[in-house]
Amino acid sequence: MGKSNNTKNQSMHNFLPYAWFQGNFVPFDEAKVSIATHSLHYGTAAFGGMRAIPDPNDSCNFLLFRADKHAKRLSQSANLLLAELKEETIIDCLHNFLKANHPTKPIYIRPFLYTSDLGIAPRLHNIETDFLIYGLELGDYLSPEGVKCRMSSWTRQQDASLPLRGKISGAYITSSLAKTEAVLSGFDEALLLNSQGKVSEASGMNLFLVRDNKLITPGVDQDILEGITRASVIEIAEDMNIKVIERPVDKTELLIADEVFLTGTAAKITPIKQIESTKLCSERPIMNKLKTRLVNITNGNPDKFSHWVTKVKLSN
Ligand SMILES: Cc1ncc(COP(=O)(O)O)c(C=O)c1O
């Protein structure tokens, strides 16, 4: 059964031909770990998720969005697991990864730090780790037309239980439970409250709402992942003189908001069209302005924030 599942999953995605694994580039199919791998059992791993696209203005280049921020968050996440992973190492590997694979379509890159030891004690000391990278072609993760969300029966974890400032693998059990609960009950995505009963985020995206032309989002003290898309949207909004307020958000506010949308590397900017049985307004002028600007930046066009994009030359 496991074998057929693997085959099915692999054919669902177009993985890039080479992975960085145990210090070398190897064919993706040969990058394999033991069933006794520590992180497989305990979720003791940290990961990043980045998008990269062919440069629409120069076919020799590939564009990486906010590579420095992603490298910093992953390095910090590794540190939270008591492992060392330098930002420069991540950036170097990402560049070499693109050059080794020569992608031609938009991709999602998954850099991953994990406890690679075969021991059974749950721990983070005296343990071997490995850093790997693989990638796959990825189009839209959620429908750009908008998604239907349900309020999850699962609560977002709290920072007192695990380091939520990192992108730690073990934390994604809650995301997985929430996402599946949402999909199996006829919705596309889940919105999670935090342990204080305030809105936190979706299964893998941050959340924004617009009320009276002001952009509101739960603050970094609301048990959110500090999303890089979220930070980018805030900077863009401020630059466009849209007032941004970071504060606790009640569930009811979502139901009466003028616009509600999700942000994330995979989801980009995705509008929410319905929450539970409440249909939300389909006019989204502020979200649309922010999205247009963000797409312009990620496509490598001239902008005050064009330095957010790294151009990696794939061929001469
Ligand atoms: C739980 C969670 N929240 C928010 C985000 C959005 O973060 P980013 O914009 O850095 O992709 C992600 C995606 O990585 C996530 O997994």
Side-chain angles (χ1 to χ4, degrees):
M1 182 178 144
K3 192 159 192 270
S4 62
N5 270 349
N6 275 343
T7 314
K8 187 169 149 221
N9 285 340
Q10 287 205 7
S11 62
M12 270 168 56
H13 296 297
N14 281 335
F15 290 102
L16 297 190
Y18 293 100
W20 176 253
F21 180 62
Q22 297 177 342
N24 292 296
F25 282 109
V26 298
F28 175 79
D29 287 341
E30 289 172 24
K32 302 262 197 266
V33 295
S34 160
I35 56 170
T37 302
H38 185 269
S39 55
L40 189 60
H41 298 260
Y42 301 119
T44 40
F47 64 97
M50 311 172 63
R51 275 188 186 266
I53 58 166
D55 186 343
N57 305 309
D58 181 347
S59 59
C60 297
N61 289 336
F62 228 70
L63 307 180
L64 265 175
F65 183 65
R66 305 214 82 170
D68 54 341
K69 293 269 181 218
H70 281 279
K72 184 169 183 186
R73 186 173 67 190
L74 181 55
S75 173
Q76 288 174 340
S77 301
N79 291 167
L80 289 167
L81 296 179
L82 312 188
E84 200 195 341
L85 179 62
K86 289 198 171 69
E87 290 171 48
E88 307 84 77
T89 308
I90 302 168
I91 298 273
D92 272 4
C93 275
L94 284 170
H95 282 233
N96 292 334
F97 176 79
L98 287 176
K99 287 177 183 161
N101 280 293
H102 247 268
T104 52
K105 299 204 172 125
I107 56 166
Y108 181 82
I109 308 175
R110 174 53 59 85
F112 189 70
L113 181 287
Y114 63 106
T115 53
S116 48
D117 230 83
L118 306 188
I120 57 161
R123 68 187 193 284
L124 292 166
H125 63 282
N126 294 341
I127 197 154
E128 184 187 279
T129 59
D130 179 42
F131 172 56
L132 62 78
I133 306 182
Y134 70 91
L136 54 138
E137 289 173 4
L138 188 68
D140 290 325
Y141 178 76
L142 293 176
S143 165
E145 305 309 317
V147 287
K148 292 196 290 180
C149 293
R150 71 165 273 174
M151 301 308 300
S152 181
S153 70
W154 297 97
T155 303
R156 171 78 175 155
Q157 306 97 333
Q158 40 181 330
D159 196 69
S161 313
L162 89 171
L164 289 183
R165 293 298 189 278
K167 211 165 148 51
I168 308 294
S169 295
Y172 282 79
I173 183 67
T174 310
S175 294
S176 307
L177 287 163
K179 175 83 181 184
T180 292
E181 177 187 61
V183 171
L184 293 186
S185 52
F187 295 84
D188 306 304
E189 241 319 310
L191 302 179
L192 288 90
L193 301 180
N194 63 22
S195 50
Q196 309 300 308
K198 301 292 179 184
V199 175
S200 179
E201 57 178 11
S203 71
M205 306 100 207
N206 295 113
L207 176 136
F208 284 86
L209 56 150
V210 176
R211 296 189 65 189
D212 299 327
N213 296 317
K214 296 185 191 76
L215 193 59
I216 301 166
T217 191
V220 292
D221 56 354
Q222 295 301 302
D223 291 329
I224 62 167
L225 179 77
E226 295 185 11
I228 292 163
T229 321
R230 172 185 180 277
S232 308
V233 164
I234 291 175
E235 270 195 76
I236 292 171
E238 284 170 345
D239 188 62
M240 295 170 90
N241 292 322
I242 298 166
K243 182 147 177 65
V244 182
I245 306 168
E246 295 182 64
R247 63 158 175 79
V249 170
D250 287 320
K251 175 181 126 181
T252 320
E253 290 189 270
L254 301 180
L255 307 179
I256 58 170
D258 303 323
E259 305 176 36
V260 189
F261 61 90
L262 301 171
T263 64
T265 298
K268 302 177 187 172
I269 294 184
T270 300
I272 299 183
K273 58 183 184 190
Q274 184 178 329
I275 298 177
E276 301 279 343
S277 57
T278 304
K279 296 224 174 7
L280 304 184
C281 181
S282 58
E283 301 286 307
R284 304 172 188 110
I286 295 203
M287 187 208 79
N288 288 339
K289 269 195 232 169
L290 294 167
K291 188 171 172 179
T292 304
R293 179 94 182 264
L294 185 67
V295 169
N296 192 56
I297 297 168
T298 52
N299 281 347
N301 293 324
D303 189 281
K304 177 178 171 185
F305 298 121
S306 53
H307 60 279
W308 288 353
V309 172
T310 310
K311 295 190 177 179
V312 181
K313 205 166 187 53
L314 296 187
S315 51
N316 295 313

